C-alpha cells in the first residue's frame, strides 16, 4: 500500500492550500493533511467548499505520480471511484458519481474532489494535491447549495479515511492500468440523462457516454454530437434520479 502519513489539525485555511505549500518545499508523496474545519475550503471553479467544524472529512493528500501530465484527470477519477467504494461499504448506501468528480448519495452531493497539479519547467508533472471533502453530519447548508447537498448522516470519519486510502492505493498502485475505469463508468449516473452545459452560452443535450479519455459524449438538441472535456465545461443535471 502507498505509504500514507497522516497529519491532523483542528483548523486550517484549506488542507489543499496548506499541503501545496509543503509540496513546494519538497514534502514526500503520501503526506495526508486532515482538518476538523477550514476557514477557506476551496471547491472547483473558484467556488468555496462549506467546511464547518467537526461535521465533515476535509482532507488532502500528496502524490508525485510518474504519469504524463495530461493524465492527471485519472487521479481524480481514481479518487472518485475509491471514495464511492469506501462510502458504499461503510454506509451501505449506493454512491454514484457525477462526471467528473462529485459523489452523490440519494440524489444529492455528499462529496467533492479538487485536484491541483504542479508542473516542472519542462512541463512534466511535479506533484498533485488531491483535496477531498465529505459531508458527514452537516445539517444546515448555505442557501446556494441547500437543495443539492446532503450528508451521510453518521460520523465515521476515521473509518472512511482509512478505507478510502486503502481503496485508492489499490487503484493507484495498478497505474497505468485503467481497470478501475469500468467501475467509474458503472457509477457515473450522468450517462443517459438530459443535461445543461454551463458555458458562455447555455446548451442542452443528452449525455451518451464517457470515453476512454474521460470526455463526456453528448448529443446536443440540434442533433450535433460533441465531446466535452471536464476542464472546459461543467454540467448541470436537468433532473436528478
Ligand atoms: C468541489 O466540490 O468542487 C470540490 C471540493 C473539494 C473540497 C476539499 S475539502 C478538503 C480540501 N481542501 C480544500 O480547500 N478543498 C478540498
Amino acid at each position: 500500500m502507498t505509504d500514507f502519513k497522516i497529519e491532523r489539525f483542528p483548523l486550517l485555511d484549506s488542507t489543499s492550500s496548506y499541503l501545496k505549500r509543503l509540496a513546494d518545499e519538497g514534502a514526500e508523496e503520501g503526506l495526508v493533511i486532515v482538518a476538523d474545519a477550514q476557514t477557506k475550503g476551496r471547491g472547483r471553479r473558484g467556488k468555496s467548499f462549506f467546511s464547518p467544524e467537526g461535521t465533515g472529512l476535509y482532507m488532502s493528500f500528496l502524490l508525485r505520480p510518474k504519469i504524463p501530465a495530461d493524465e492527471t484527470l485519472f487521479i481524480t477519477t481514481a479518487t472518485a471511484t475509491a471514495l464511492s467504494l469506501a462510502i458504499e461499504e461503510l454506509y451501505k448506501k449506493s454512491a454514484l458519481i457525477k462526471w467528473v468528480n462529485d459523489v452523490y448519495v440519494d440524489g444529492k452531493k455528499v462529496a467533492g474532489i479538487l485536484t491541483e497539479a504542479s508542473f516542472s519547467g519542462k512541463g512534466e508533472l511535479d506533484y498533485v494535491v488531491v483535496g477531498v471533502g465529505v459531508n458527514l453530519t452537516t445539517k444546515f447548508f448555505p442557501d446556494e447549495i441547500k437543495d443539492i447537498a446532503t450528508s451521510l448522516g453518521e460520523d465515521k470519519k476515521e473509518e472512511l479515511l482509512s478505507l478510502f486510502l486503502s481503496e485508492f492505493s489499490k487503484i493507484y498502485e495498478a497505474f497505468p492500468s485503467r481497470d478501475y475505469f469500468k467501475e467509474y463508468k458503472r457509477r457515473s449516473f450522468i450517462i443517459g440523462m438530459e443535461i445543461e452545459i454551463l458555458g458562455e452560452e447555455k446548451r442542452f443535450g443528452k449525455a451518451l457516454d464517457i470515453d476512454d479519455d474521460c470526455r463526456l459524449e453528448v448529443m446536443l438538441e440540434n442533433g450535433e454530437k460533441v465531446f466535452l472535456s471536464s476542464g472546459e465545461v461543467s454540467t448541470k443535471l436537468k433532473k436528478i434520479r
Side-chain angles (χ1 to χ4, degrees), residues 164-180:
F164 163 70
L165 292 176
S166 126
E167 292 292 351
F168 180 81
S169 269
K170 285 188 227 160
I171 298 176
Y172 185 57
E173 277 163 25
F175 268 31
S177 157
R178 290 195 194 156
D179 279 356
Y180 79 92

Side-chain angles (χ1 to χ4, degrees), residues 132-151:
V132 176
V134 188
N135 305 322
L136 299 176
T137 55
T138 314
K139 283 210 172 65
F140 303 104
F141 292 94
D143 281 352
E144 324 77 90
I145 55 168
K146 72 174 189 317
D147 295 334
I148 56 151
T150 192
S151 296

Side-chain angles (χ1 to χ4, degrees), residues 14-16 38 41-44 49 59-60 109 112-113 131-133:
S14 145
T15 55
S16 287
Q38 302 182 112
R42 296 185 289 108
R44 293 173 75 225
F49 186 81
M59 55 104 57
S60 300
K109 176 169 167 173
I113 298 161
V132 176

Side-chain angles (χ1 to χ4, degrees), residues 86-94 156:
I87 288 176
E88 201 159 281
E89 176 161 347
L90 274 176
Y91 288 88
K92 310 291 176 219
K93 288 179 177 179
S94 155
K156 299 186 184 177

Side-chain angles (χ1 to χ4, degrees), residues 191-220:
I191 297 172
M193 294 192 78
E194 302 290 327
I195 59 166
E196 180 181 328
I197 303 162
L198 308 171
E200 276 176 20
E201 45 157 343
K202 262 191 195 175
R203 289 181 295 173
F204 295 93
K206 183 173 181 177
L208 300 179
D209 202 358
I210 295 171
D211 74 4
D212 291 345
D213 293 321
C214 205
R215 294 176 312 167
L216 189 67
E217 185 183 346
V218 178
M219 178 71 80
L220 296 179

Side-chain angles (χ1 to χ4, degrees), residues 13-17 33 38 40-45 47-51 57-60 101-102 109 111-116 129-134:
D13 55 349
S14 145
T15 55
S16 287
S17 305
I33 301 294
Q38 302 182 112
K40 288 188 186 145
R42 296 185 289 108
R44 293 173 75 225
R45 296 171 203 290
K47 291 191 180 156
S48 59
F49 186 81
F50 184 55
S51 317
L57 170 61
Y58 316 121
M59 55 104 57
S60 300
N101 59 348
D102 289 336
K109 176 169 167 173
I113 298 161
L114 174 70
T115 305
E116 296 173 293
V129 165
V130 188
V132 176
V134 188

